[in-house]
Amino acid sequence: MAEMKWTKEQQQVIDARGRNLLVSAAAGSGKTAVLTQRVIELLTGEQPVMADRLVIVTFTVAAAAQMRERIQDKLSALLEEHPENILLQTQQTLLSKAKICTIHSLC
């Protein structure tokens, strides 16, 4: 997988740990890509968060669906590179139980 070049601010969002996070930026600024990378790193890092423990809130149903699809695509790509990786297999299975939804559906 090709490495993305992140801005300083984007990298800060990707790397932030131990707190809730709100990302607000203009359309086309890379929010979904940044948040997808953040989630992938949370799922695959040294202390992985299990996918079914995630709560990701968006404003639109389309954005929630896109976010889930991008995370799934990244996990699939990682599994192609490392098909024997049990953590990746588990995360891919658990992703269907992750709460990735709109503010309205969460509330």
Side-chain angles (χ1 to χ4, degrees), residues 10-74:
Q10 288 172 325
Q11 193 64 55
Q12 286 174 334
V13 169
I14 292 167
D15 294 340
R17 299 291 184 268
R19 61 186 182 267
N20 294 327
L21 191 65
L22 171 67
V23 176
S24 177
S29 63
K31 292 182 298 294
T32 303
V34 167
L35 291 174
T36 299
Q37 185 62 34
R38 176 180 167 76
V39 169
I40 291 298
E41 290 187 16
L42 286 169
L43 296 177
T44 62
E46 289 183 25
Q47 296 179 330
V49 174
M50 300 316 288
D52 62 342
R53 305 280 299 165
L54 295 176
V55 177
I56 301 170
V57 182
T58 67
F59 284 106
T60 67
V61 172
Q66 181 182 48
M67 183 65 116
R68 184 179 299 276
E69 182 179 335
R70 287 190 183 189
I71 295 167
Q72 180 65 47
D73 290 349
K74 288 232 180 208

Side-chain angles (χ1 to χ4, degrees), residues 80-92:
E80 282 184 24
E81 293 175 21
H82 309 282
E84 73 293 338
N85 188 307
I86 300 298
L87 175 63
L88 291 173
Q89 294 170 18
T90 302
Q91 296 292 37
Q92 189 174 48

